[in-house]
Amino acid sequence: MNHPRSPKRIVVGIDGSDAAINAARWAVAEAISHDIPLRLIHAILHRDDAPAGDESLDIEYAETALHGAAAALHAMGKPVEVETDIVPGTPAGSLVDESRCAAMVVVGSVGIGRVARKLLGSTADAVAQGSHCPAAILRAGRDDVVPDSAWIAVVVDDAPGNDAVLEHGFREARLRGAPILAMGVWRWGLGEIPYEQLDRRLDRWVSRYRDIHVQPVAARHGAAEFLAGTEEPVQLAVVGGDVAGEVARIVGPVAAHLPRRAGHSVLVVPH
């Protein structure tokens, strides 16, 4: 295994699931665009009271999961350097720790609603709220539902960190060849839609990224409420750290009776 501690890595949490492998596939474009390696990690929490032999089984499982993920990435035939590592700790704690010296952390999620947040989605929820660098939470199974040309939905407001959100949103749109749905989240009275204010906030970015189509929309009640109700195909929502607590709602639960468009992948940009 490799043990790099460079700040220039895209870090992906690998747990042996298809969701994690799909998240790693999504992260390939990020690593290539930055010309940096893709670092795949699997966390193992050491327990003093664990039965003899459990740790060796955990290590064997980790190595198998990492090998499978790396093989899936190599099969893509993309020019990306892939590193793998087994790290100590919980999955959430390890990813948050890695985020201190990473360009981005990426994790897959099968849905993090009220129930799943406590189970399969607990790692994704903790990473969204605790990461020190941009954190991508990739909703499982999105790639066969939402086309690559679907919207990158970006929060636009007057918050101090919103320029960083816009920068990442426009960069993702260019990287993914997608248009931008600019969600103006100012709170205003009925009938008062401040599109002029929204346009002013976007002017600098539209001028810099002239190749990207931008559609302003009024998100009267915030990004989570807008995304929960929109019929627009959204492949990724880019939000600030102040919305991190609502990521579970944006990603949404997964159940047989729910439409697959009941949630969205999210990129949280901390302020």
Side-chain angles (χ1 to χ4, degrees), residues 2 20 78 84 123 130 142 172 175 188 194 208 210 212 214 234 241 246 265:
N2 300 304
K78 301 292 185 179
T84 60
T123 296
R142 301 302 291 165
E172 288 296 329
L175 180 62
W188 51 76
R208 185 182 300 182
R210 295 184 180 277
I212 296 174
V214 179
V234 173
E246 297 186 89
S265 297

Side-chain angles (χ1 to χ4, degrees), residues 66-142:
L66 288 169
H67 176 76
L73 299 187
H74 289 310
M76 295 173 67
K78 301 292 185 179
V80 61
E81 179 182 351
V82 178
E83 303 170 343
T84 60
D85 199 2
I86 298 174
V87 298
T90 64
S94 298
L95 285 165
V96 170
D97 181 59
E98 292 273 338
S99 76
R100 298 178 186 274
C101 57
M104 180 183 289
V105 295
V106 183
V107 62
S109 176
V110 296
I112 47 178
R114 285 183 297 176
V115 175
R117 162 185 272 174
K118 299 177 181 178
L119 302 172
L120 299 175
S122 60
T123 296
D125 191 51
V127 170
Q129 298 196 54
S131 179
H132 300 276
C133 70
I137 315 300
L138 276 297
R139 182 177 162 90
R142 301 302 291 165

Side-chain angles (χ1 to χ4, degrees), residues 27-47:
V28 166
E30 298 291 336
I32 293 174
S33 69
H34 286 286
D35 193 23
I36 57 178
L38 193 60
R39 173 169 160 81
L40 311 181
I41 67 167
H42 182 103
I44 296 179
L45 181 62
H46 174 72
R47 294 174 299 158

Side-chain angles (χ1 to χ4, degrees), residues 157-172:
D157 60 22
D158 285 327
N162 189 239
D163 276 339
V165 174
L166 288 169
E167 181 177 6
H168 279 85
F170 274 85
R171 183 184 169 278
E172 288 296 329

Side-chain angles (χ1 to χ4, degrees), residues 95-265:
L95 285 165
V96 170
D97 181 59
E98 292 273 338
S99 76
R100 298 178 186 274
C101 57
M104 180 183 289
V105 295
V106 183
V107 62
S109 176
V110 296
I112 47 178
R114 285 183 297 176
V115 175
R117 162 185 272 174
K118 299 177 181 178
L119 302 172
L120 299 175
S122 60
T123 296
D125 191 51
V127 170
Q129 298 196 54
S131 179
H132 300 276
C133 70
I137 315 300
L138 276 297
R139 182 177 162 90
R142 301 302 291 165
D143 52 347
D144 62 345
V145 178
V146 180
D148 292 340
S149 59
W151 299 101
I152 303 291
V154 185
V155 166
V156 186
D157 60 22
D158 285 327
N162 189 239
D163 276 339
V165 174
L166 288 169
E167 181 177 6
H168 279 85
F170 274 85
R171 183 184 169 278
E172 288 296 329
R174 176 171 285 175
L175 180 62
R176 310 286 169 182
I180 280 183
L181 200 61
M183 301 180 292
V185 297
W186 289 278
R187 297 190 180 277
W188 51 76
L190 292 175
E192 300 175 7
I193 302 177
Y195 284 111
E196 289 185 7
Q197 186 178 2
L198 183 53
D199 287 341
R200 283 196 300 272
R201 284 289 295 124
L202 291 169
D203 275 348
R204 178 160 64 97
W205 302 100
V206 171
S207 297
R208 185 182 300 182
Y209 293 86
R210 295 184 180 277
D211 55 317
I212 296 174
H213 171 66
V214 179
Q215 177 65 52
V217 295
R220 291 180 177 274
H221 303 291
E225 183 74 19
F226 174 84
L227 291 166
T230 186
E231 293 295 323
E232 296 286 351
V234 173
Q235 61 172 292
L236 181 70
V238 184
V239 304
D242 56 330
V243 186
E246 297 186 89
V247 165
R249 183 182 178 193
I250 296 172
V251 174
V254 171
H257 67 281
L258 293 175
R260 296 295 294 277
R261 285 185 180 175
H264 310 280
S265 297

